[in-house]
Amino acid sequence: MAKKESLDYGKLKKTLQDEGLQRVYLLYGPEEYLREDFAALLKRTCLPNGEDDFSYKRLNQENFSVRALEDAVEALPFLTERSFVEVRGVDLNRVGESDGEKLTKLMADIPDYCTLVFVQEAGFEPDGRKKLIKAIKKYGQDVNFTEQPQTSIVKWVRRRFAAYGKDIGPETAVFLVSYSGHFMQQLIPEIEKIAAYAPGETVTEADVRAVASKSAETAVFELSDRLAARDYDGAAAVMGELLGRKDTEPIMLLAMIGNQMRNIYAAKLAEVERRDGAYLTDVTGVRYDFLVQKLRNHAKKFSTGRLERAVELCAETDCLMKSSGAEDEDLLKELLIKLAFDEG
């Protein structure tokens, strides 16, 4: 998987400040915190005195129609210079052909006084083949709110703790990100808990371990570590923990385990070919140094043949989940046994 460029959020805000508002924006991507922060910034820039019923319109899946959007866009602002129209919960990739044609024409005819913003859910990826998406890019701006680079996320974590009167060193901040996840939205409640719990002015790794929630990604790394050691009981315990989480389903866990095995396999090949961490980042799309190092460390514990077989087993289990009548959890448990004991 090719590495995606990280969004430079500071540059994005500077462009808005220097060049002013576009007529239409498409906001999407997994970094929910920055996506919402920028949507709020656009709104404040359009409506510095706050929203009102004339200058601010919000449409969602329940009340959205082409006619409603046209009316919202064409409505003149009252007592303000600009109007702001926000559309949420409408998947632009799934808009029908007829509505798509009408919306495409609308993108070219948005009044100068109006800013229209489409806010998409985290899993959305714009289909660049669609005329509507092309029109938005032509007449406005599409912004992919990617996960932020390690240096940026660490600085942000330290600033958040400073706002609570706490200091956290760079290494401890990296540990928190590696333990609880690297998206800002999931880190905010963890930072709040830790800041309230930590007895001293400086947050320690022990403070993080005491109250922070472990991310599913961290648990999957623990799972692969147990598998490398052929510790089936330990692997089963971690799998039970993952299955007990509210934010994971068996098919999702299989995808995570399969991706983990592919990434470790890529790290193994990088080790054999004496490639550096930058190469592994390009191949896997893993952008954080601590995660790249984890992959390299795990790769040392597996043979190449065992990793090849692990990737095959994950693919076979995926096929079974989608085609057989077996219970997904049972298939995951069978996969775990094979991953622990298959010699490759």
Side-chain angles (χ1 to χ4, degrees):
M1 182 172 65
K3 178 185 177 183
K4 293 182 179 180
E5 292 297 322
S6 295
L7 171 72
D8 187 333
Y9 190 53
K11 182 178 179 181
L12 177 66
K13 293 196 293 184
K14 183 70 163 53
T15 300
L16 174 62
Q17 179 182 351
D18 293 345
E19 301 179 7
L21 291 155
Q22 301 280 341
R23 288 190 295 172
V24 58
Y25 290 88
L26 171 59
L27 310 183
Y28 66 100
E31 187 45 85
E32 181 183 352
Y33 174 83
L34 292 182
R35 191 182 72 232
E36 294 303 319
D37 189 70
F38 190 66
L41 176 59
L42 291 174
K43 185 176 179 181
R44 290 196 304 272
T45 305
C46 279
L47 308 173
N49 296 321
E51 64 183 65
D52 59 62
D53 292 338
F54 298 96
S55 302
Y56 173 65
K57 306 291 183 183
R58 174 167 173 160
L59 301 177
N60 53 41
Q61 194 172 17
E62 287 70 33
N63 64 0
F64 177 83
S65 68
V66 175
R67 181 71 261 174
L69 182 58
E70 288 173 341
D71 290 343
V73 166
E74 292 169 3
L76 290 170
F78 181 69
L79 298 179
T80 60
E81 294 183 1
R82 301 191 60 83
S83 62
F84 184 76
V85 180
E86 186 176 7
V87 180
R88 290 177 175 267
V90 177
D91 188 337
L92 297 185
N93 288 337
R94 300 190 176 212
V95 173
E97 184 175 349
S98 176
D99 284 349
E101 290 288 344
K102 295 174 185 177
L103 290 173
T104 298
K105 291 179 182 178
L106 179 62
M107 295 307 104
D109 199 31
I110 297 174
D112 292 338
Y113 57 76
C114 178
T115 292
L116 168 62
V117 180
F118 293 101
V119 184
Q120 300 290 291
E121 297 299 324
F124 176 86
E125 286 287 341
D127 185 344
R129 300 168 299 177
K130 291 188 172 292
K131 292 180 181 179
L132 175 56
I133 301 299
K134 291 178 180 178
I136 292 173
K137 292 182 178 182
K138 179 179 180 180
Y139 297 107
Q141 185 176 11
D142 69 309
V143 187
N144 181 8
F145 291 88
T146 61
E147 55 187 320
Q148 294 297 284
Q150 182 172 321
T151 52
S152 298
I153 198 74
V154 167
K155 288 179 181 177
W156 177 82
V157 166
R158 299 191 73 191
R159 289 197 302 270
R160 296 286 299 196
F161 272 108
Y164 289 103
K166 298 288 184 178
D167 179 60
I168 184 170
E171 291 185 1
T172 309
V174 168
F175 175 75
L176 169 60
V177 174
S178 70
Y179 189 81
S180 293
H182 42 265
F183 287 112
M184 294 175 175
Q185 195 67 28
Q186 66 189 132
L187 285 170
I188 289 173
E190 306 308 323
I191 291 170
E192 292 175 350
K193 286 190 297 184
I194 296 165
Y197 169 84
E201 293 182 1
T202 300
V203 173
T204 66
E205 184 175 315
D207 295 329
V208 175
R209 289 185 182 277
V211 295
S213 301
K214 185 192 301 180
S215 71
E217 184 178 49
T218 297
V220 170
F221 265 105
E222 291 181 359
L223 179 67
S224 61
D225 197 42
R226 301 290 189 277
L227 292 172
R230 300 188 186 279
D231 176 9
Y232 173 74
D233 289 340
V238 176
M239 178 65 80
E241 175 187 332
L242 284 165
L243 287 170
R245 296 173 65 103
K246 294 180 180 179
D247 60 346
T248 54
E249 297 289 338
I251 190 68
M252 176 185 173
L253 289 178
L254 175 60
M256 294 178 70
I257 294 167
N259 186 62
Q260 176 80 341
M261 290 302 164
R262 288 191 296 274
N263 286 347
I264 296 174
Y265 180 48
K268 189 66 177 182
L269 296 179
E271 174 191 311
V272 172
E273 298 172 6
R274 297 184 179 180
R275 303 274 194 162
D276 60 15
Y279 167 81
L280 190 55
T281 294
D282 287 338
V283 170
T284 64
V286 175
R287 67 178 74 248
Y288 294 108
D289 295 341
F290 65 83
L291 290 178
V292 170
Q293 190 55 51
K294 275 187 175 183
L295 290 175
R296 293 168 77 92
N297 292 340
H298 278 61
K300 296 180 186 299
K301 301 174 183 179
F302 288 90
S303 68
T304 303
R306 192 173 171 208
L307 286 169
E308 287 178 349
R309 181 59 180 150
V311 171
E312 291 174 357
L313 288 169
C314 289
E316 291 171 4
T317 304
D318 180 69
C319 183
L320 287 171
M321 275 195 183
K322 295 173 180 176
S323 61
S324 75
E327 291 291 333
D328 288 353
E329 286 195 20
D330 291 339
L331 290 171
L332 266 184
K333 292 172 183 176
E334 289 176 18
L335 172 64
L336 197 63
I337 294 171
K338 293 175 182 176
L339 290 175
F341 299 114
D342 199 293
E343 295 296 330

